[in-house]
Amino acid sequence: QVQLVESGGGLVQPGDSLRLSCAASGRTYSSYAMGWFRQAPGKEREFVATISWRGGSRYFADSVKGRFTISRDNIKNTVYLQMNSLKPEDTAVYYCAASTTMSWGTPSKSDEYDSWGQGTQVTVSS
């Protein structure tokens, strides 16, 4: 199993940018797709973005398309979520996840992932 630790969350103003990082350890010799999900208070966890093992494929939720980008560095075992033009509705706990069963794809459902981080809070408020 892969252990994941997110970082980079914080409090920002609308229109600001923030970059989240997710460091993987453990079974990193296996190939795995990486994804970001988020959960706002009182709402269900929702998909944000995903990237395939070699980074050749990416997929985004419509709500963040054009504002967020996802990238990964397999040497550092780290995946990044660059968030630009942040909006108050982006406020949530952001989770990264690893999928060893769909490593070459771009999974967008929670049950397609088998490892999860503890989450990092992102708050967008003026």
Side-chain angles (χ1 to χ4, degrees), residues 35-125:
W36 287 95
F37 290 75
R38 66 187 182 185
Q39 187 168 19
K43 295 187 177 181
E44 293 187 354
R45 186 175 299 185
E46 65 174 1
F47 165 76
V48 176
T50 182
I51 185 169
S52 59
W53 168 237
R54 291 300 186 190
S57 297
R58 296 170 173 85
Y59 180 63
F60 298 89
D62 288 344
S63 59
V64 306
K65 202 171 293 183
R67 299 188 298 122
F68 290 12
T69 59
I70 188 171
S71 61
R72 66 188 298 165
D73 183 337
N74 287 350
I75 301 298
K76 296 181 178 179
N77 294 318
T78 301
V79 64
Y80 306 96
L81 183 69
Q82 177 67 43
M83 305 184 293
N84 299 326
S85 303
L86 282 161
K87 305 175 181 180
E89 50 264 43
D90 294 319
T91 295
V93 177
Y94 283 71
Y95 299 89
C96 71
S99 173
T100 58
T101 57
M102 297 184 64
S103 56
W104 297 95
T106 50
S108 60
K109 299 179 181 179
S110 296
D111 59 7
E112 294 173 326
Y113 289 84
D114 40 75
S115 298
W116 291 84
Q118 82 290 347
T120 185
Q121 176 70 46
V122 172
T123 303
V124 185
S125 175

Side-chain angles (χ1 to χ4, degrees), residues 8-30:
L11 172 64
V12 296
Q13 295 185 338
D16 285 353
S17 297
L18 203 60
R19 189 178 80 158
L20 304 182
S21 300
C22 176
S25 61
R27 195 180 173 184
T28 56
Y29 55 84
S30 296

